[in-house]
Amino acid sequence: MSEERRHVCLGFTDERYPEGTHICYLYNDDEERRRILPLFARHALLEGERFDYAADVPDADDFPRIIAQLDLDGAGRGLDRDIHMATAREAYFPEGSFEPDAMLARLRAKYAQCIAAGQRGARFAGEMSWALRNVPGSNRIIECESRINDLVKEAPMTLMCQYDLRQFDGAMMFDVMSVHPVMIVGGHILRNPFYRHVSGGHGHGHGA
């Protein structure tokens, strides 16, 4: 278990980060997000990783709009790899409620499938605005986010959890920052000074 982690290019910074980095992206600028996300996706594909994107939309009919809106169509241009799209429901609460154990199991299985298929790793970016709609179990998001930090030690997929600062309140953002070792703020990535690792995590309300 002491083997050296691959360091991967995230696309929007010159510094390479170890695979399994758990990032919170706090944004309030749509143009900035349109710049960062295609780079994150493209460099996943360039690194030989699978890239999954969870969009907070009702169904797959909305995927073309999201792909165009975030310029994700350009991310795979010239490459023989695809971006895999899912709705927030499919990614986070396919049974109708959000269960951290089930979410972690899905992530673990996804990573194992990627490695079994000969891919070098897995990268995931998801929109978190679904948590503001009173989905059953959404008050356990912080618990799950905390436990992801243990999961990536054994299944080192690189994750970017996106939180729109125009929608989430300050209390929720403080909780979010406390469970992500790395964050993006104002388009800049940094090691998060607010991070405090608590193995196993605890449930928190999201203040919505």
Side-chain angles (χ1 to χ4, degrees):
M1 299 300 291
S2 60
E3 65 184 48
E4 184 69 20
R5 281 276 168 89
R6 264 191 328 129
H7 279 61
V8 298
C9 178
L10 301 178
F12 51 87
T13 174
D14 291 335
E15 184 178 359
R16 295 179 76 88
Y17 280 76
E19 63 176 344
T21 298
H22 184 203
I23 307 163
C24 63
Y25 179 19
L26 311 182
Y27 69 93
N28 58 12
D29 183 329
D30 295 324
E31 283 305 310
E32 171 198 291
R33 187 162 162 256
R34 181 177 168 85
R35 175 178 63 83
I36 283 177
L37 278 166
L39 292 171
F40 184 67
R42 182 168 181 81
H43 281 79
L45 302 180
L46 288 171
E47 296 273 353
E49 301 173 344
R50 174 179 166 121
F51 181 75
D52 283 85
Y53 191 85
D56 187 21
V57 294
D59 55 54
D61 290 343
D62 292 293
F63 289 164
R65 175 178 60 81
I66 296 297
I67 289 170
Q69 179 180 309
L70 296 176
D71 197 26
L72 289 174
D73 49 349
R77 192 166 295 132
L79 304 175
D80 61 352
R81 293 176 176 270
D82 296 322
I83 290 172
H84 298 267
M85 301 288 293
T87 65
R89 183 185 181 97
E90 291 168 336
Y92 293 103
F93 52 102
E95 303 303 321
S97 64
F98 179 71
E99 294 285 346
D101 286 345
M103 182 73 205
L104 295 167
R106 286 193 296 275
L107 291 174
R108 186 181 292 107
K110 182 75 70 180
Y111 180 80
Q113 290 165 7
C114 291
I115 299 306
Q119 293 170 301
R120 297 189 72 197
R123 205 174 295 199
F124 176 86
E127 301 173 4
M128 300 302 295
S129 47
W130 63 269
L132 297 171
R133 294 197 301 278
N134 297 314
V135 172
S138 58
N139 62 314
R140 301 183 68 189
I141 284 174
I142 300 302
E143 172 195 345
C144 186
E145 292 272 40
S146 179
R147 293 172 62 189
I148 283 173
N149 296 315
D150 290 323
L151 172 73
V152 295
K153 294 174 185 176
E154 57 176 283
M157 62 194 311
T158 304
L159 301 104
M160 180 194 287
C161 309
Q162 302 170 70
Y163 291 88
D164 188 340
L165 293 173
R166 295 164 294 192
Q167 298 186 45
F168 288 91
D169 65 25
M172 175 62 172
M173 288 302 90
F174 183 80
D175 282 346
V176 166
M177 288 189 292
S178 75
V179 293
H180 288 83
V182 173
M183 65 181 184
I184 305 169
V185 181
H188 300 286
I189 189 166
L190 64 151
R191 286 168 177 78
N192 181 5
F194 301 101
Y195 171 64
R196 47 183 176 78
H197 178 59
V198 180
S199 184
H202 297 283
H204 293 260
H206 54 58

